[in-house]
Amino acid sequence: MSAEVALVYRVLPDSAEADLARLKQEIAKRLAPKYKVDRIEEEPIGFGITALKVYVRHPESDEYTSDEVEELLRSIQGVGNIELEYFSRLSF
């Protein structure tokens, strides 16, 4: 039986003028190939700011951590704040 971990992050850009298309590409590129990005959705939150909801999966193993995902996200230019909104173990 294999198990995966599903994570959903809310990523806020560092400014309202952030290039969301570039941020989405950079997030997918930075997390791959180790982490699987299922999708990235835009979520308007007000005052001209749009957050990105990033849906990530990885195998359940000590080689993969949510801390590492957060470090990778924080290392992207244009990323302001990161919040883990959802965490679940998926078994098949």
Side-chain angles (χ1 to χ4, degrees), residues 26-45:
E26 193 61 32
I27 288 168
K29 187 171 93 175
R30 192 68 57 95
L31 295 179
K34 187 171 183 178
Y35 295 93
K36 168 108 174 77
V37 177
D38 286 324
R39 69 183 185 271
I40 302 174
E41 299 175 346
E42 293 185 16
E43 177 184 51
I45 57 173

Side-chain angles (χ1 to χ4, degrees), residues 27-82:
I27 288 168
K29 187 171 93 175
R30 192 68 57 95
L31 295 179
K34 187 171 183 178
Y35 295 93
K36 168 108 174 77
V37 177
D38 286 324
R39 69 183 185 271
I40 302 174
E41 299 175 346
E42 293 185 16
E43 177 184 51
I45 57 173
F47 306 105
I49 298 173
T50 300
L52 297 176
K53 292 192 86 157
V54 182
Y55 295 78
V56 179
R57 276 186 297 134
H58 64 77
E60 184 179 52
S61 164
D62 291 341
E63 296 174 39
Y64 301 86
T65 67
S66 59
D67 289 340
E68 183 180 30
V69 173
E70 291 176 25
E71 286 174 25
L72 290 167
L73 291 172
R74 287 186 206 291
S75 72
I76 299 170
Q77 183 177 359
V79 169
N81 191 30
I82 298 166

